[in-house]
Amino acid sequence: MKSNSPLHVAWTTFQRRQVSMAQAAGFECVFLPIQAKGKLSKAFGYLRALVQTIAVLKRQRPPVVWVQLPQVPALWAALLYRALFFPATKIVADCHNAQLRAPWSRFPLAQWSLSRADVILVHNEAMFEQAKVIGWPINKVHVLEDVPPVLSDVKPTGLAKSQIDAPKPWVVFPGSFAADEPIAEVMEAARLAPDLTFIITGRPERAARNGHDISQLPSNMRLPGFLSIEVFDDLLREADVVLGLTREEGIQLSVCNEALGFRRPLVTSDTAILRQLFSDAAVMVSTNDPGSIADGCREALAEQVLRSQLSAQLALVRLGSWINGQFSSVKKALST
């Protein structure tokens, strides 16, 4: 890391959002994952990450610190660093949607901490309206959507195929087995399309706690588990179709931008926000209808060359619009 460069700090293993933004935004990414279970263990994990974050900031002395929320204590670290060492530091609170919902919206000192950031980011207009409802200092709140990753024309490396033994074509559903993901519907869609291989990434051990029964997988479905970024990127290069699905309105799926950046045919949920952002390239499907999901995947495969071209075109459009519009507004706010 370069001294005095802006930093984006996140207490997680990896997040595509900031890596995709890094080149255009001019910051470097710092990931400090908290691997702890149980309240006491997690509390010590937060304390350790807080100390590590302050140490990194002291060493690098960034003029601007971007902090991913959740978790709120990560913002405390940036505020403490500024108060104790470099009062001129600008702080950006980059709030994922979970920060606007309980329990994170009610986390101790969350509102107080946000009010002391210089800029507060939400990821779409729906979350901007939610920020108004819950009383955030709206004069500091800006919408900054995700952007597609800027990628070179790297060919598949074979890493994904070395870990996933399955026939093509591949329908890749990058997930986390979260409650909003239609896992049962995708399983049924796989049964309706036995000639396709459906690959769901993420940690299967999280499925049960979020209400997903994965005990009877279709024979054409694979769950490779959590993948390193190198393998995951290669899986996206190998994907014949990328699937991005959610049951909830207002969620801007990062996988949709990943599909655009990797120039892959995209099939995604027909929600208002996803239609607005991605319908110029994507096949839109009904999240709760396995038949619609299966038909959407077949449509994307039948138009694979066209859909790949549309993804690449929309990636360039979205990046240019982001730089000249939303990000330009954020830069202006940070310069005052």
Side-chain angles (χ1 to χ4, degrees), residues 31-169:
F31 294 106
L32 298 171
I34 296 176
Q35 297 172 339
K37 296 181 180 180
K39 291 183 178 180
L40 186 59
S41 177
K42 188 163 285 189
F44 279 111
Y46 282 176
L47 180 60
R48 183 171 57 251
L50 187 147
V51 172
Q52 288 176 325
T53 299
I54 293 175
V56 169
L57 297 179
K58 282 182 64 180
R59 185 168 62 249
Q60 299 302 124
R61 293 188 295 172
V64 182
V65 181
W66 299 55
V67 183
Q68 176 178 299
L69 275 71
Q71 298 88 353
V72 173
L75 181 54
W76 297 351
L79 293 171
L80 280 169
Y81 162 77
R82 181 172 68 181
L84 295 174
F85 302 105
F86 293 98
T89 304
K90 299 281 188 175
I91 296 176
V92 179
D94 188 6
C95 299
H96 286 235
N97 292 6
Q99 187 58 52
L100 291 100
R101 300 190 297 264
W104 285 109
S105 61
R106 300 173 186 167
F107 196 85
L109 301 179
Q111 203 91 332
W112 178 90
S113 303
L114 284 167
S115 70
R116 279 150 181 80
D118 296 283
V119 171
I120 302 168
L121 302 180
V122 294
H123 296 184
N124 57 58
E125 293 292 341
M127 294 301 102
F128 183 85
E129 294 303 317
Q130 180 63 13
K132 288 182 183 178
V133 170
I134 62 179
W136 286 9
I138 209 66
N139 61 311
K140 295 185 177 184
V141 179
H142 296 256
V143 175
L144 190 66
E145 296 169 356
D146 293 354
V147 289
V150 180
L151 302 170
S152 60
D153 291 315
V154 177
K155 302 299 182 184
T157 64
L159 277 173
K161 284 187 173 180
S162 72
Q163 294 200 21
I164 302 171
D165 180 18
K168 289 266 200 157

Side-chain angles (χ1 to χ4, degrees), residues 13-322:
T13 305
F14 176 79
Q15 197 79 44
R16 180 73 68 180
R17 172 178 167 86
Q18 48 264 50
V19 173
S20 298
M21 294 194 301
Q23 183 175 347
F27 55 63
E28 297 183 53
C29 300
V30 178
F31 294 106
L32 298 171
I34 296 176
Q35 297 172 339
K37 296 181 180 180
K39 291 183 178 180
L40 186 59
S41 177
K42 188 163 285 189
F44 279 111
Y46 282 176
L47 180 60
R48 183 171 57 251
L50 187 147
V51 172
Q52 288 176 325
T53 299
I54 293 175
V56 169
L57 297 179
K58 282 182 64 180
R59 185 168 62 249
Q60 299 302 124
R61 293 188 295 172
V64 182
V65 181
W66 299 55
V67 183
Q68 176 178 299
L69 275 71
Q71 298 88 353
V72 173
L75 181 54
W76 297 351
L79 293 171
L80 280 169
Y81 162 77
R82 181 172 68 181
L84 295 174
F85 302 105
F86 293 98
T89 304
K90 299 281 188 175
I91 296 176
V92 179
D94 188 6
C95 299
H96 286 235
N97 292 6
Q99 187 58 52
L100 291 100
R101 300 190 297 264
W104 285 109
S105 61
R106 300 173 186 167
F107 196 85
L109 301 179
Q111 203 91 332
W112 178 90
S113 303
L114 284 167
S115 70
R116 279 150 181 80
D118 296 283
V119 171
I120 302 168
L121 302 180
V122 294
H123 296 184
N124 57 58
E125 293 292 341
M127 294 301 102
F128 183 85
E129 294 303 317
Q130 180 63 13
K132 288 182 183 178
V133 170
I134 62 179
W136 286 9
I138 209 66
N139 61 311
K140 295 185 177 184
V141 179
H142 296 256
V143 175
L144 190 66
E145 296 169 356
D146 293 354
V147 289
V150 180
L151 302 170
S152 60
D153 291 315
V154 177
K155 302 299 182 184
T157 64
L159 277 173
K161 284 187 173 180
S162 72
Q163 294 200 21
I164 302 171
D165 180 18
K168 289 266 200 157
W170 285 0
V171 177
V172 177
F173 180 21
S176 60
F177 294 92
D180 70 295
E181 295 174 2
I183 301 299
E185 287 81 357
V186 173
M187 289 171 61
E188 185 58 30
R191 294 187 180 95
L192 294 173
D195 53 320
L196 310 181
T197 296
F198 285 72
I199 301 169
I200 306 179
T201 64
R203 302 184 191 278
E205 59 269 24
R206 294 178 177 172
R209 80 175 82 155
N210 289 317
H212 304 303
D213 181 0
I214 57 172
S215 60
Q216 296 183 336
L217 292 178
S219 60
N220 59 327
M221 179 167 281
R222 302 290 186 274
L223 307 182
F226 181 81
L227 301 174
S228 70
I229 186 59
E230 293 81 11
V231 177
F232 180 68
D233 282 357
D234 196 54
L235 178 60
L236 290 175
R237 295 185 196 106
E238 290 280 9
D240 298 287
V241 173
V242 173
L243 193 57
L245 300 175
T246 178
R247 298 184 190 279
E248 294 187 16
E249 283 285 357
I251 290 183
Q252 180 186 310
L253 294 169
S254 61
V255 62
C256 293
N257 279 299
E258 288 175 325
L260 301 189
F262 280 81
R263 305 168 183 85
R264 298 291 83 205
L266 172 62
V267 175
T268 193
S269 295
D270 194 8
T271 64
I273 188 69
L274 294 177
R275 174 167 286 279
Q276 174 191 338
L277 296 175
F278 301 109
S279 62
D280 286 350
V283 178
M284 313 302 294
V285 299
S286 175
T287 306
N288 299 320
D289 182 354
S292 177
I293 295 170
D295 290 345
C297 292
R298 291 194 184 284
E299 181 179 341
L301 278 169
E303 302 174 343
Q304 193 169 18
V305 174
L306 172 63
R307 292 290 171 178
S308 295
Q309 292 172 345
L310 291 174
S311 287
Q313 291 168 11
L314 185 56
L316 292 175
V317 170
R318 284 189 53 75
L319 180 60
S321 176
W322 186 89

